[in-house]
Amino acid sequence: MVSRPRHSFTRKPNLADVKAAGHDMLRLVNRRILLSIVSDRQPISRAEIAKISGLNKATISTITSELLKDSCIIEEGFGRTTPIGGKPPTPLRLNSRRFGLFGVDIRADETILALSDFNNRIVARVSYETGSDAPAFLSRLGKEIRKLRAKHDSFIEFPGIGVSLPGLVDNHRGKFLISVVLPWRDVPVVQLLEKSTGLPVIIDNSARCSALAEIWHGKAQYAHVRNLLYVSVSTGLACGVVIDGGLYRGGNNTAGQFGHIPIDLSGSECRCGQRGCWDLYASDKATLKRYAELRTTNGKRVSTMRKLIELVDGGDPAATEAVRETARYLGIGITGLINGLDPEVVVIGGEITKVWGVIEPIIVEQTKRNLLAPRSHGVAIRPSAFEVRPSLKGAITLIQNSLLSVPHMG
Ligand SMILES: [Zn+2]
């Protein structure tokens, strides 16, 4: 019998920036794996961690001692004894006060600033109207972050601020490039916010932040998936792609703009310069436009998706048909992406998911009709796990991810 290696890797070592697996790197990886296991399964004993991780007990003991010393974890019920006097296994938990994580969700109309503990509980949340003058707005935001930091001084450390932005974001260079909903252009968000707060800042676009939130904190049924596609349905249409547990950012850091794949070459012109982009048929803007066309003379005028959803809930036929048509187009685009990416789950986020009962059967039917591989019929299509602002959760997750994610080695 041929014995095959357990892992079949496909990643070519990065020879331009070699990261050899030295002792420090291995220690960091094991430490983060262990912290992630505690975060996921707490309270958990050392023996259970050994079973899950495959690490030996001595290594577990060394790492947990370090993490206890560093206040990252705590022992639960410290000092208890069993009825026969023996020492029970002491379960471990994350120390929620170890890190205070800032998340900022910037949207066209409103910005939310939140502070979360290390256990993902939001301890403070403030909202502001988003300003059109980016430097002035970010300076004000910086001041608010400094205030919150002073008020919540029981946290041992503030490792950084995660920022979700609505548009094209170059995560690597720390810049917000352009958006159709926000009149900011080429804004060095990281530089400005780091200057005013003195804290490290990580930015990304809202669809990619939301995708990250789903794999770290999504509902139990898909919290452990490795390959996920997040479709953000908002004024525009954007996606976040998770491949083998990591966010795919692309060669120029702007990956995920699947909204600009043309689905009708004779369609109308899109702001990106092409014709008939998916965005023109399945975004909120498209749904509102469709409703305006279908609306009868006595039908209500609406300008927001929230209002349109209320009409659907109230049984308005034009509003319902507008949403159903969007669901068909969502299904068409998602089918293509499932064929190309083969995700385990597709998560849809946005106001339109509030009428999930109306859109789900249409999207599922569409994907079933078009899929190449019969096996892909089982791909789960779900609404976001977070009813309120997945991108805020995602902004906080950017920082959590920087503390717990494991590096690419080699
Ligand atoms: Zn386009």
Side-chain angles (χ1 to χ4, degrees):
M1 203 172 106
V2 183
S3 77
R4 293 182 195 284
R6 186 171 156 226
H7 302 288
S8 52
F9 304 118
T10 59
R11 186 172 171 271
K12 181 191 165 197
N14 180 359
L15 303 182
D17 181 18
V18 176
K19 287 190 184 70
H23 182 71
D24 284 356
M25 187 65 102
L26 286 177
R27 196 170 147 256
L28 176 92
V29 171
N30 284 338
R31 194 182 149 108
R32 289 184 170 200
I33 289 174
L34 207 144
L35 262 181
S36 299
I37 292 174
V38 175
S39 167
D40 194 45
R41 306 283 181 96
Q42 59 186 327
I44 183 167
S45 69
R46 289 170 177 80
E48 284 172 278
I49 296 174
K51 208 157 54 175
I52 295 169
S53 66
L55 291 168
N56 65 46
K57 280 185 183 163
T59 308
I60 301 281
S61 172
T62 308
I63 304 174
T64 47
S65 301
E66 281 174 19
L67 291 171
L68 281 165
K69 206 173 140 208
D70 196 25
S71 302
C72 284
I73 54 173
I74 46 174
E75 289 184 309
E76 195 177 60
F78 185 70
R80 273 185 314 162
T81 50
T82 60
I84 49 159
K87 208 174 160 227
T90 3
L92 303 167
R93 276 188 181 280
L94 284 193
N95 177 6
S96 61
R97 310 307 288 178
R98 179 61 181 83
F99 295 111
L101 317 170
F102 281 110
V104 182
D105 181 19
I106 299 180
R107 293 198 181 185
D109 49 345
E110 186 194 36
T111 291
I112 294 184
L113 162 65
L115 175 63
S116 157
D117 69 17
F118 196 27
N119 266 321
N120 296 302
R121 266 188 300 264
I122 290 182
V123 294
R125 186 186 155 115
V126 207
S127 65
Y128 316 93
E129 196 181 315
T130 306
S132 54
D133 178 346
F137 178 72
L138 292 171
S139 154
R140 208 183 111 209
L141 191 66
K143 207 184 279 178
E144 298 294 335
I145 290 171
R146 291 204 303 274
K147 255 200 260 174
L148 265 187
R149 195 181 163 178
K151 200 173 154 195
H152 294 270
D153 57 359
S154 64
F155 283 110
I156 297 173
E157 190 184 341
F158 294 91
I161 306 160
V163 184
S164 159
L165 288 149
L168 271 190
V169 172
D170 184 338
N171 157 276
H172 193 63
R173 290 189 303 135
K175 270 189 168 184
F176 175 77
L177 302 177
I178 194 169
S179 157
V180 281
V181 292
L182 192 63
W184 296 9
R185 195 157 188 163
D186 287 322
V187 183
V189 177
V190 167
Q191 192 197 341
L192 291 170
L193 215 50
E194 284 189 345
K195 201 174 146 205
S196 68
T197 61
L199 293 174
V201 175
I202 304 174
I203 64 171
D204 219 319
N205 96 347
S206 54
R208 298 202 303 213
C209 286
S210 304
L212 208 54
E214 296 290 339
I215 49 156
W216 281 98
H217 309 295
K219 284 175 189 159
Q221 75 247 38
Y222 54 91
H224 297 285
V225 302
R226 304 298 296 166
N227 303 286
L228 178 146
L229 168 69
Y230 187 94
V231 182
S232 165
V233 186
S234 178
T235 311
L237 205 66
C239 298
V241 180
V242 171
I243 295 173
D244 192 24
L247 195 58
Y248 179 71
R249 288 193 163 114
N252 292 303
N253 264 304
T254 54
Q257 299 301 318
F258 288 115
H260 297 283
I261 287 182
I263 59 169
D264 179 3
L265 293 180
S266 53
S268 50
E269 201 172 314
C270 179
R271 60 196 147 84
C272 73
Q274 302 185 99
R275 282 191 175 276
C277 289
W278 187 28
D279 182 288
L280 299 175
Y281 299 88
S283 62
D284 286 354
K285 213 170 157 186
T287 312
L288 287 166
K289 189 173 164 228
R290 195 172 288 129
Y291 169 72
E293 287 160 7
L294 290 166
R295 181 173 64 94
T296 51
T297 41
N298 52 1
K300 277 187 190 158
R301 275 173 196 277
V302 293
S303 58
T304 65
M305 203 55 193
R306 195 172 301 171
K307 285 266 159 58
L308 187 80
I309 295 302
E310 279 172 19
L311 290 183
V312 178
D313 279 334
D316 182 286
T320 308
E321 186 46 35
V323 163
R324 287 172 60 89
E325 191 66 4
T326 296
R328 273 188 280 278
Y329 281 111
L330 278 174
I332 289 171
I334 287 170
T335 304
L337 295 179
I338 292 177
N339 284 339
L341 294 168
D342 186 22
E344 291 151 66
V345 60
V346 177
V347 179
I348 303 176
E351 207 79 41
I352 198 165
T353 60
K354 290 199 174 128
V355 284
W356 190 247
V358 178
I359 66 170
E360 186 201 16
I362 300 169
I363 298 172
V364 170
E365 181 55 37
Q366 198 67 42
T367 56
K368 272 189 187 159
R369 202 182 307 164
N370 289 296
L371 285 172
L372 284 175
R375 247 180 353 152
S376 302
H377 285 194
V379 176
I381 300 175
R382 305 259 186 272
S384 168
F386 313 106
E387 278 179 30
V388 187
R389 313 273 291 216
S391 43
L392 175 66
K393 193 84 182 162
I396 296 165
T397 310
L398 284 175
I399 301 301
Q400 197 202 15
N401 185 61
S402 75
L403 296 169
L404 297 179
S405 62
V406 285
H408 283 294
M409 287 193 285

